[in-house]
Amino acid sequence: MAVRMRMSRLVPYMAEWKRAEVSRGQQDPSQAGFSVEILDRMRLSAQSPTAEFAYIDESGDVGMSKGTKTFTLGCVLVPVDDWSDRLDYMVRMRRSTKQKYGVPMQQEAKANHIAGVKKIYRDLGLGDGQMRDIYQRHMRAIDRVSSGTFAIVIRKDKLWKRDTDVLDMAWRYLLERLRKRTESTGAPVMIVHDQGQDAEIRKLIRRYRRVAWTASGQRSSAPLFVEDPSPRDSQQSYFVQLADLAAYAASTKACPRNGGTARICNELMWDIIADVQVKSVTKDRNDGLYVFPK
């Protein structure tokens, strides 16, 4: 019954979303001025990057007594190769969004603000369909600029131990998957995360680089995690903002929402980036999400 109710709620949006996906290559204004050669080069270098930035941001809170049902870390991998072209793509996408909807270039794209239609968007007179398009534009940008995207979703509502350090748990799951990524690609990774808990994250990654433990209990390390993690003000980084939007879409995929926000970002949003989802992060799903507990 719950599945039928959720599907009936999605029906009004599914056709529109599918039309947008089929035509995204022809209608994406971010591609204006981008030659086929540049787009092909970006796509090819994403298949075998020489090094990657791992842009990471979170969605939800870590509190166990109240707050959100989930805590999610979104990770958008962006190759060092053709990085300037990828940034230019983001700038063009943001510029086209400004031209169409009036959203300032410097306005931070935060998932909660877009899905919740915060004041700046209400003042622009934007409705649900327009806000959904703004969110989709950013997800399609992930599909273009990323060499891989995945997320760690902690279902706090299903954890038995109420004193669990959710932040530590989520980061350890994420680092384990990044370590495996570096082993499979041979490409070093530089971690760039949104500001917050900077000291804790730096300490965790420094220790993990030297001593890590696999799921089977074997000692390992992550020598291809290069330098200390770099905390960034998300307002100053379009790529960190993509990680925020990916994290929110991932949490919605793992734990579907009801209410007004679902009219803008529902469980279909995560599917837009199916081509760049890192499927190997779990054996239980095929969508680039590691969800714990299952």
Side-chain angles (χ1 to χ4, degrees):
M1 178 66 71
V3 172
R4 289 199 299 270
M5 290 178 64
R6 188 163 69 244
M7 288 303 297
S8 65
R9 176 170 56 82
L10 294 178
V11 165
Y13 312 114
M14 290 179 71
E16 179 179 347
W17 287 45
K18 288 180 178 178
R19 285 196 300 271
E21 276 301 280
V22 169
S23 62
R24 65 182 178 180
Q26 293 80 6
Q27 296 183 359
D28 186 355
S30 306
Q31 293 186 32
F34 264 72
S35 68
V36 173
E37 289 77 15
I38 293 176
L39 292 171
D40 285 346
R41 187 173 68 241
M42 287 168 55
R43 182 169 57 252
L44 288 173
S45 61
Q47 293 173 3
S48 56
T50 56
E52 294 174 301
F53 291 107
Y55 294 96
I56 299 167
D57 204 353
E58 62 190 45
S59 179
D61 59 69
V62 297
M64 290 295 291
S65 59
K66 57 182 180 179
T68 56
K69 289 184 178 181
T70 62
F71 176 75
T72 303
L73 291 177
C75 179
V76 176
L77 294 160
V78 176
V80 171
D81 315 80
D82 307 309
W83 186 90
S84 293
D85 288 331
R86 299 174 199 280
L87 177 60
D88 287 346
Y89 189 93
M90 289 299 303
V91 171
R92 289 172 184 269
M93 183 273 290
R94 293 298 297 264
R95 184 175 294 129
S96 71
T97 302
K98 177 184 178 181
Q99 291 171 348
K100 185 168 185 177
Y101 297 121
V103 180
M105 292 284 288
Q106 70 272 19
Q107 174 63 35
E108 182 177 1
K110 289 185 69 68
N112 282 329
H113 293 176
I114 295 175
V117 195
K118 295 302 182 181
K119 184 177 185 301
I120 183 172
Y121 301 109
R122 293 199 305 270
D123 289 348
L124 290 170
L126 301 179
D128 290 348
Q130 294 160 318
M131 297 306 299
R132 186 165 60 250
D133 181 54
I134 291 172
Y135 207 126
Q136 289 173 329
R137 284 168 174 246
H138 286 81
M139 295 300 285
R140 289 194 294 269
I142 293 177
D143 184 64
R144 289 294 183 182
V145 305
S146 176
S147 49
T149 297
F150 68 94
I152 306 297
V153 183
I154 305 299
R155 290 290 306 264
K156 297 190 301 176
D157 57 331
K158 292 187 175 183
L159 291 174
W160 285 19
K161 293 183 63 177
R162 305 313 295 172
D163 60 347
T164 298
D165 186 337
V166 175
L167 182 73
D168 182 81
M169 172 185 284
W171 269 96
R172 287 181 182 277
Y173 284 142
L174 185 140
L175 293 177
E176 173 65 9
R177 280 141 189 86
L178 273 183
R179 180 185 67 80
K180 291 181 178 179
R181 170 80 175 185
T182 63
E183 289 179 349
S184 65
T185 64
V189 164
M190 171 72 180
I191 294 172
V192 183
H193 64 91
D194 189 18
Q195 290 176 337
Q197 298 94 24
D198 299 351
E200 295 95 320
I201 294 171
R202 181 172 59 251
K203 181 179 179 181
L204 178 63
I205 294 174
R206 281 181 175 180
R207 185 170 62 243
Y208 195 93
R209 183 189 296 121
R210 300 297 182 184
V211 179
W213 299 93
T214 67
S216 61
Q218 295 180 324
R219 180 167 171 159
S220 183
S221 62
L224 291 179
F225 287 3
V226 297
E227 254 292 357
D228 281 341
S230 176
R232 294 288 305 277
D233 178 355
S234 57
Q235 187 170 357
Q236 305 301 321
S237 172
Y238 285 152
F239 293 124
V240 173
Q241 291 172 37
L242 289 184
D244 174 88
L245 291 157
Y248 185 93
S251 66
T252 301
K253 180 71 173 181
C255 188
R257 291 173 167 83
N258 295 309
T261 60
R263 293 195 295 270
I264 295 166
C265 179
N266 56 40
E267 48 265 51
L268 295 175
M269 188 67 77
W270 180 254
D271 298 336
I272 289 176
I273 60 169
D275 289 345
V276 295
Q277 291 167 0
V278 182
K279 314 292 187 182
S280 59
V281 298
T282 179
K283 297 178 180 178
D284 301 314
R285 304 174 64 106
N286 191 39
D287 58 3
L289 299 183
Y290 179 78
V291 182
F292 182 85
K294 300 176 185 177

